[in-house]
Amino acid sequence: MKHTDLYINGAWVPGADGARFDVLNPATEEVITSVASAGIADAKAALDAAEAAFGDWAARTPRARSEVLRKAWELMTARLPEFADLITLENGKARADAMGEAAYAAEFFRWFAEEAVRADGMITHAPASGARIIVQHKPAGIAVLVTPWNYPAAMGTRKIAPALAAGCPVIIKPAAETPLTMLALMPLLEEAGVPKGMVNVLPTASPAALVDHMLHDPRVRVLSFTGSTSVGRKLLHASADQVLKPAMELGGNAPLIVFEDADVDAAVEGAMLAKMRNLGEACTAANRIYVHADVAEAFTAKFTAAMAALKMGNGAQDGIDVGPLVNASTRDKVAAFVEDAVAKGAKVELGGKAPEGKGYFYPPTVLTNVAETSDCVHDEIFGPVAAIQTFTDQEDVIARANATEYGLVAYVFTEDMKRGMQVCERLEYGMVGLNRGLVSDPAAPFGGVKQSGLGREGGHEGMMEFTETQYISASW
Ligand code: NAD
């Protein structure tokens, strides 16, 4: 499955200037392979291909588009283990996490195969003029997709599937750490019947210039970005020049609140999922764990035991729960968060020190007594470090949970559903897990408020990000 060239207009090309960059295995620090690095000439070729493919695909019936997407789901589902191997190889995550990601990624094709036929419009009488108001949704045009390394398959399919469902061609720029998975998907899309030029993949070692060029090409109409808030802000500025339609999935700082009336075992299980899925390298990862003082001791003991039971190692090996982080800078950032928290009074209950040797490993770590001023309370940890704080007052914990510029996801654990719903509604987050540590679902609108993003992926909303609404005022 190792394709290493650019994928433009249905063909593998080495790139106009022949530049390449290395992709590493984070578990061994060895070079897996080198990949072609796209430049401006390649972006132009991809834009030409997308432009040429657009009209025919957009003119196909929704059912015809739907059937291609359905086939893509079938083909990907038949090859989940191969995708999982590749994801683990370039990202490092444990194989169970990679299998979970591959299945989740494939589901977007099935979900949007079903949504492709549901771009509902509307017709109604204008109240005063007597005209008819006809509303329809049309494909918005060429979409530029920029994705992060933490979910090399799913962050791509979550954009490609709705774009194709809506009728839009795409140019996807995967993260330089993990380009292989997206390249490996292309033969399957071809086999499913995606016409050449509809999906183009441009890995690059120079993302800023490449993406900026595309965002200033008048043929591009949509920017769909998943990544950090800092890069998202820059791309929002750049998309303003052409007034592009932006869909931004940015960073998070998820609070996880365990009330005194929670089922502690269920809360531990939910917290493990919310913290350790993808070894904490997730925008949805529980970044701040607030536990009511009455259950803090019981929760911390059980949670620490569950963290201690996780086995760290090369994610490709059997029985491994925690693979390496994606690269040295991510590992060093996680280590710095722990050092800062400890310097400000945190107690290390478990872990807290990167092992010697090859691979970007950091062990499952539990910190208690974390000061509100610690860096890990304000910034994304993006690693296997659980920062536990306590609270006694509901109003106080809601205020602390909301005291961030982020607003992606929050988690609440309580056995009192009335209280749970009241707290959920007070939380300034695009998504809330109530007695659940996992919210991601292709059928649900995923996305954040405040500086966690604009727009939604998945659900019905996901396809609408790639459409424009047209209103026709008619008389007959
Ligand atoms: P990143 O912002 O560094 O990179 C994301 C993508 O943008 C990569 O493809 C990268 O090559 C590209 N990029 C970087 N600088 C660029 C520039 N100047 N111009 C154009 N493109 C540029 O993020 P990352 O480190 O790859 O991923 C981690 C971040 O992604 C975290 O903040 C995480 O919360 C966020 N994330 C969010 C979601 C979500 O759905 N909200 C999902 C996954 C990850």
Side-chain angles (χ1 to χ4, degrees), residues 28-351:
T28 61
E29 303 181 29
E30 285 163 6
V31 175
I32 302 167
T33 185
S34 74
V35 168
S37 181
I40 304 299
D42 305 304
K44 286 185 175 144
L47 287 162
D48 290 345
E51 184 185 26
F54 181 30
D56 175 59
W57 180 259
R60 289 195 192 188
T61 62
R63 177 70 71 208
R65 297 201 292 261
S66 165
E67 279 166 5
V68 170
L69 291 169
R70 173 88 192 181
K71 184 78 182 158
W73 169 70
E74 282 169 14
L75 291 170
M76 193 171 177
T77 301
R79 300 184 71 175
L80 296 184
E82 288 163 76
F83 276 101
D85 287 345
L86 198 51
I87 291 168
T88 295
L89 185 68
E90 63 176 348
N91 169 278
K93 68 178 76 174
R95 202 155 176 298
D97 273 330
M99 275 299 280
E101 180 190 344
Y104 174 56
E107 274 303 324
F108 285 102
F109 289 116
R110 175 158 67 168
W111 174 258
F112 284 107
E114 292 158 354
E115 282 299 295
V117 295
R118 311 208 196 292
D120 300 338
M122 181 192 83
I123 177 164
T124 188
H125 282 271
S129 70
R132 301 294 200 285
I133 294 171
I134 302 169
V135 177
Q136 58 180 351
H137 304 290
K138 300 166 65 172
I142 297 174
V144 169
L145 317 179
V146 181
T147 53
W149 47 260
N150 64 339
Y151 286 95
M155 296 302 99
T157 61
R158 195 162 80 169
K159 300 180 189 302
I160 294 170
L164 292 177
C168 299
V170 303
I171 299 162
I172 180 161
K173 194 218 76 64
E177 292 83 352
T178 58
L180 300 174
T181 305
M182 206 30 61
L183 293 169
L185 182 65
M186 294 306 115
L188 274 73
L189 295 188
E190 262 177 40
E191 196 182 336
V194 175
K196 63 179 188 172
M198 281 303 298
V199 180
N200 305 277
V201 189
L202 299 183
T204 184
S206 314
L210 184 89
V211 173
D212 194 67
H213 172 82
M214 293 194 285
L215 299 185
H216 289 93
D217 186 297
R219 294 170 289 183
V220 171
R221 292 311 316 146
V222 180
L223 163 67
S224 179
F225 171 78
T226 299
S228 60
T229 296
S230 59
V231 173
R233 269 191 215 105
K234 285 185 201 160
L235 298 190
L236 269 175
H237 280 288
S239 12
D241 292 340
Q242 287 212 95
V243 194
L244 299 184
K245 206 170 149 67
M248 312 298 285
E249 297 289 345
L250 308 177
N253 180 5
L256 183 145
I257 304 170
V258 181
F259 282 104
E260 69 279 16
D261 56 8
D263 172 337
V264 171
D265 290 327
V268 168
E269 196 182 314
M272 286 298 292
L273 199 53
K275 179 74 251 179
M276 292 305 291
R277 193 169 71 106
N278 226 40
L279 70 145
E281 288 177 321
C283 52
T284 51
N287 210 55
R288 299 169 284 156
I289 301 180
Y290 296 109
V291 188
H292 193 280
D294 289 357
V295 290
E297 205 179 313
F299 175 89
T300 303
K302 289 182 177 189
F303 181 79
T304 305
M307 289 283 272
L310 298 176
K311 201 163 167 221
M312 183 172 77
N314 185 330
Q317 289 164 4
D318 287 343
I320 295 298
D321 306 296
V322 180
L325 292 158
V326 73
N327 54 28
S329 66
T330 303
R331 191 235 356 242
D332 296 347
K333 212 171 144 195
V334 170
F337 277 126
V338 173
E339 279 163 31
D340 168 77
V342 170
K344 290 171 182 162
K347 181 175 172 218
V348 181
E349 305 281 348
L350 180 76

